[in-house]
Every structure is written in C-alpha cells, then in structure tokens.
Amino acid sequence: MDDGIDRTSRLIRLARQFELVRREILAARELDVWEYDVLAALRSATPPHELSPGALVDETLVASGTMTNRVDRLSRRGYVTREPDPADRRGVLVRLTVSGRKKIDAVAAELAKAEAVIWRSVADRKTQQLDGTVRELLASLDR
C-alpha cells in the first residue's frame, strides 16, 4: 500500500482513539461534542469570551442555521448569552457565561489529563515535532 495512504489511515485511527476518549469524558459530564466545541471556541476568544455567530460558524465548521440552533440550546442551559454587538447595531455577540466558563474549564482540564496519558507513550520531542508538522499541514489547507 502507498505510504501516504498508510499515513492517512494511521492518522484517522489515532483521531478515532482521541474521539472515543473525548466522547466518554463529555458524556460523563453531560456535554455533547458540539457543545464542547462551541464552548471551547468561546473560551479561546479574548475576554469577555464572546464571538459573533459567524465567527463561531468559522471556528466549528457548521452551517449558520445549525449554529443558531446550537446557541439557542446553550443559552437555555445557561452557558451562553446573546449580547448586542456594539460595532454593528443589527449584530449580536455570543458570550460565555460564568456557568459556561466553569463547565468548559472543568471538562477541558479533565480531557487534557486523559489526552496526556495517551501522549505520554511518545517522547516529548516527538510530540512537539508532530505538533509543528500538523500545524503546518493545517495552515496549508486553510489557505
């Protein structure tokens, strides 16, 4: 088999292993994967941890209608609010609430611990090298 195909297959298998760990931890914390993705995108934004719905669409790679539904659901759970966008009278910003921040911080910390166990089997130098390679590849795809 072609080495490129083998490499891609290995990456997909590795991603599946991380996804299984992620789903297990999120389920235990009563959080869906998509909820984690939206909350994590907001947490990564500069304080006060808010983004436009369009920016959230770009961050999570879903359709705008899907994002509207997701924001509605997260709002009902008390994890986000919609605030007027001071730069655009017609726009809104989705803001992480204190409850949402506590939730994403706790879950992200637990997830990081679980992922660290997986990465521990590889030398730190190699994980840094892999990280650089993956960043470079993703940057080329984003262009």
Side-chain angles (χ1 to χ4, degrees):
M1 197 181 290
D2 179 71
D3 190 43
I5 293 172
D6 287 345
R7 182 181 311 116
T8 302
S9 294
R10 286 190 301 270
L11 284 171
I12 291 168
R13 284 192 354 251
L14 179 62
R16 283 187 190 138
Q17 291 299 316
F18 278 107
E19 186 67 19
L20 290 172
V21 169
R22 184 182 201 215
R23 285 184 184 280
E24 182 179 316
I25 288 170
L26 294 179
R29 291 294 201 139
E30 299 179 345
L31 205 63
D32 287 328
V33 172
W34 67 263
E35 290 174 308
Y36 178 84
D37 291 342
V38 174
L39 294 176
L42 289 168
R43 186 64 170 110
S44 296
T46 56
H49 306 292
E50 62 187 11
L51 292 170
S52 70
L56 281 171
V57 164
D58 292 343
E59 288 285 324
T60 60
L61 304 174
V62 298
S64 62
T66 300
M67 185 54 66
T68 298
N69 183 41
R70 290 179 176 187
V71 170
D72 288 345
R73 290 171 66 183
L74 287 168
S75 178
R76 284 194 296 272
R77 291 190 72 182
Y79 295 148
V80 301
T81 60
R82 285 186 175 92
E83 304 294 331
D85 185 345
D88 179 0
R89 289 185 325 148
R90 296 174 294 161
V92 297
L93 295 171
V94 179
R95 181 178 294 170
L96 194 61
T97 64
V98 171
S99 175
R101 192 184 79 240
K102 287 179 181 178
K103 185 72 163 184
I104 190 62
D105 287 352
V107 174
E110 191 173 339
L111 192 54
K113 286 178 190 174
E115 290 173 351
V117 170
I118 296 170
W119 286 112
R120 233 177 257 137
S121 63
V122 180
D124 199 36
R125 172 183 56 79
K126 288 186 178 180
T127 58
Q128 290 173 358
Q129 183 181 19
L130 176 62
D131 187 42
T133 302
V134 170
R135 283 178 191 262
E136 186 178 322
L137 181 59
L138 288 172
S140 73
L141 292 172
D142 286 341
R143 281 188 223 125

